[in-house]
Amino acid sequence: MLRQYELVERVKSYDPGADEALLNRAYVFSMHAHGSQKRASGDPYFSHPIEVAGILTDLHLDDETIATAILHDTIEDTVATPDEILAKFGPSVARMVDGVTKLSKIEAQTESERAAENLRKFLLAMSDDIRVLLVKLADRLHNMRTLHHIAKEDKRKRIARETMDIYAPLAERIGMYEFMKEMQSLAFRELEPEAYESITRRLEALRDEGGEDRVEKIGKTLTQLLERNGIDAEVSGREKAPYSIWRKMSERHVSLEQLSDITAFRAIVGTEEECYRALGVIHRKWPMVPGRFKDYISIPKRNGYRSLHTSVFYAENVRVEVQIRTREMHAQAEYGLAAHWAYKQAAVRPETQVRWIRDLIEILEHAESPEELLEHTRMAMYQDRIFAFSPKGELIQLPKGATPIDFAYAVHTDLGDQAVGAKVNGRVVPLRTEIAQGDQVQILRSKAQTPQENWLNFAITGKARAAIRRHLRHKEREEIEALGRKLYDEIVERLPAPVGSDGLLDALKRLKLPDEAALMEAIARQKVTDSEVMEALMPGSASDAEATSPPQRQAISIKGLTPGVAYDLAECCRPVPGDRIVGVRRPGAGIEVHGIACAALADGAEEDWIDLAWGDKASGGTARISVTLKNEPGALAAVASIIAAHKANILNLRLDNRDTTFHTNTIDLDVRDAKHLMRLLAALRAAEAVSSAERV
């Protein structure tokens, strides 16, 4: 464990102007606060925050961040209070300590809720000051280094899984690759111990067969090649980590012996120009592996990472990966976002560095459930990226498999909400089209458009899915409330006297509902019965209504409400505008709309029926018909021509029965209303090729 003077000297070695008194105060305060507390290893608990601070000094972070690391567990694990931290160390350190605190006192019903709530508060704190993330990552890294001291296996695995799912991707997203790789390796060893041991043993066997000499030999050959061409480079080689190898084995479905690129080399040169010169020299010497060249200098990664990557055939069955970068790029690759605090360089490159954090905060605002928050956040952090361009040349980074709808939401939420189509490389394509590397994407928009539920079938980014779901939830609430309002007005009509605002407030109390909107939703979803509502509004009125003959009810209009949201159209009869309809109330689920002649109505109680109306000028619905045709050439074409001539659209067609003389097809059609459908059926029946045409 670092002693007090050693920690201060470390910070002063790279930041001579650091606040020595602040560091000394933090060290002494934390030591006294933690007192005799012990870690699972038996070490004094105080050793943990000091080790975390030591990790951050390796990144040359500022004095406030180091003080935060020393203090980060005091509020949670000791009697220290936020007010004490504020008084002794100032608002900046106090705010960061509060953000890093593990929040273990959160009471939640499930592990997912607890994890989501921790992540929610952590992301909010991180958006205020990114240094919170740097301290949290160092905290998690040291906890992973000492994970083996925890006796309970399930607890070790939970911490390792959380590290693999959340903290390693966060480290990658801000370019801290050394943190990411060590976290992944330690988590992998805990989660997949047999695979870890197997790969480690095989790597040792390969080294015993001369693998270490081969790494040294290739490195020396690469250094000499560059020197002969006038390029001074620092070349280093390494074996890839067990987790990286295991992932490649899983993705490619091959054994370790079949992997030819388990070694990687790094060439650090003086200038950007020398990066490209070195690349040319290497490619002239050894053939390039197709598809393995990546230019992250021209197009940096979203976290600011810049480097050239290539793989070459060094010898038979030996592929070698080479990364080429300048010293400045190397510092960025090692430290990532942390590099911007070295020597008190407080400014962060905003757009490329923290845009993904803004995306996470937007997901945070849109997520409805803990599971949804975790799903969307992991999507945002843990996917391989591609690059696409807007018509103006703006670079947009997206996960592999992204579609134009993901692109639209990545540009702006309003653009995503209003997307009606897209052009990719000048060609109009469906919104479900997968975007390829380097595509130029133009989004076609309309102010009349709103997010559609089927977009969730092909939107893959967390930001897009969160925004779509948020809109759908908001729309459902509005429509359910509107339907509930119509049903409420009908209930009030049956009361013997008008109901005032006071009467409504009293009814809410009797029904134990928080507000008027909750009442309307409860009525629409039949969480409360009509009798219960009447009795709550006017005690005694429900029994009086039963004793007298029921009044004539007026049909409730469903105009303006959306099928599948406020109500569902029954699959058994598929009513369309113009059909006489009734609604069947389903407790907790809303209303199912049937045609009045539907056989399914005989199975339900008539008191659950609601007389419904389509409303004025209602138009558009899906009808299903069964058409029996002569089994002869051109018969189906004749049917399709009749349907087209009557301005109907075929949504689906299924062949049900076929013999030598006839075949029967079920056809789903988009029609205006019942009259439109009847005219179409009459035309089909008149066709020579049609034996029968009926609605089903």
Side-chain angles (χ1 to χ4, degrees), residues 289-538:
V289 178
R292 297 301 302 274
F293 170 63
K294 294 183 176 68
D295 186 348
Y296 294 121
I297 294 178
S298 174
I299 305 177
K301 286 189 177 183
R302 202 174 192 185
N303 55 29
Y305 175 87
R306 301 172 72 220
S307 183
L308 297 178
H309 287 201
T310 189
S311 291
V312 296
F313 293 103
Y314 177 79
E316 187 178 354
N317 293 327
V318 177
R319 291 194 299 183
V320 172
E321 180 184 311
V322 184
Q323 301 170 2
I324 309 166
R325 60 180 75 137
T326 66
R327 288 172 182 81
E328 181 188 356
M329 295 173 193
H330 182 61
Q332 170 70 26
E334 292 289 300
Y335 297 147
L337 197 69
H340 296 284
W341 271 273
Y343 306 97
K344 291 209 170 183
Q345 292 177 6
V348 185
R349 295 178 196 168
E351 286 77 17
T352 57
Q353 295 293 353
V354 296
R355 180 173 178 178
W356 68 274
I357 297 176
R358 293 199 299 272
D359 288 351
L360 288 183
I361 299 306
E362 193 163 336
I363 289 169
L364 187 69
E365 293 168 350
H366 290 181
E368 180 86 351
S369 65
E371 291 77 12
E372 192 176 311
L373 173 61
L374 289 172
E375 173 200 346
H376 292 163
T377 306
R378 286 168 183 165
M379 281 180 176
M381 292 190 300
Y382 210 46
Q383 292 173 317
D384 293 332
R385 318 300 285 185
I386 62 167
F387 301 94
F389 297 89
S390 72
K392 294 182 179 179
E394 181 188 1
L395 179 68
I396 303 295
Q397 295 193 42
L398 296 164
K400 286 182 179 177
T403 61
I405 204 68
D406 297 303
F407 181 95
Y409 277 107
V411 175
H412 197 280
T413 302
D414 288 346
L415 182 62
D417 288 347
Q418 297 172 4
V420 292
K423 287 184 178 180
V424 174
N425 302 324
R427 185 168 58 90
V428 176
V429 299
L431 287 173
R432 63 175 61 250
T433 305
E434 187 172 320
I435 296 173
Q437 185 77 269
D439 279 348
Q440 185 189 76
V441 182
Q442 178 185 354
I443 301 300
L444 309 176
R445 67 192 298 183
S446 167
K447 290 184 178 180
Q449 176 68 299
T450 58
Q452 305 298 303
E453 187 172 8
N454 71 322
W455 289 1
L456 292 171
N457 296 332
F458 49 84
I460 70 166
T461 62
K463 182 178 180 181
R465 294 179 67 82
I468 294 165
R469 281 177 170 162
R470 182 191 186 199
H471 173 86
L472 294 175
R473 281 193 301 270
H474 183 69
K475 181 179 181 182
E476 181 179 20
R477 276 195 209 104
E478 282 187 340
E479 294 205 8
I480 288 290
E481 189 177 336
L483 177 61
R485 173 70 63 183
K486 293 180 179 185
L487 295 170
Y488 172 80
D489 291 343
E490 193 272 334
I491 292 171
V492 169
E493 286 293 323
R494 287 185 263 156
L495 293 173
V499 177
S501 56
D502 291 341
L504 178 57
L505 290 174
D506 290 341
L508 292 174
K509 291 176 184 177
R510 293 185 184 109
L511 293 169
K512 297 179 181 179
L513 293 171
D515 53 36
E516 197 172 327
L519 173 61
M520 301 312 155
E521 181 187 355
I523 293 171
R525 296 191 185 280
Q526 210 183 8
K527 294 177 181 177
V528 292
T529 65
D530 291 5
S531 296
E532 288 170 338
V533 176
M534 292 174 71
E535 196 65 23
L537 289 167
M538 199 169 290

Side-chain angles (χ1 to χ4, degrees), residues 146-215:
T146 57
L147 185 66
H148 58 281
H149 291 297
I150 296 176
K152 292 183 178 179
E153 182 183 358
D154 59 339
K155 185 177 181 181
R156 293 199 309 271
K157 289 194 179 299
R158 177 180 61 78
I159 293 170
R161 173 53 57 198
E162 189 177 62
T163 300
M164 190 71 87
D165 285 350
I166 294 176
Y167 291 101
L170 278 169
E172 189 273 338
R173 278 290 172 261
I174 60 171
M176 298 179 72
Y177 289 99
E178 293 306 313
F179 273 41
M180 177 198 75
K181 285 184 284 191
E182 187 175 353
M183 284 183 189
Q184 286 177 337
S185 183
L186 293 167
F188 176 55
R189 184 168 63 185
E190 182 61 45
L191 295 171
E192 301 285 349
E194 293 181 5
Y196 180 88
E197 289 299 326
S198 174
I199 292 172
T200 303
R201 283 197 305 270
R202 284 152 126 185
L203 288 174
E204 287 174 356
L206 288 173
R207 283 196 293 270
D208 291 341
E209 294 170 10
E212 275 189 86
D213 292 341
R214 185 172 65 184
V215 171

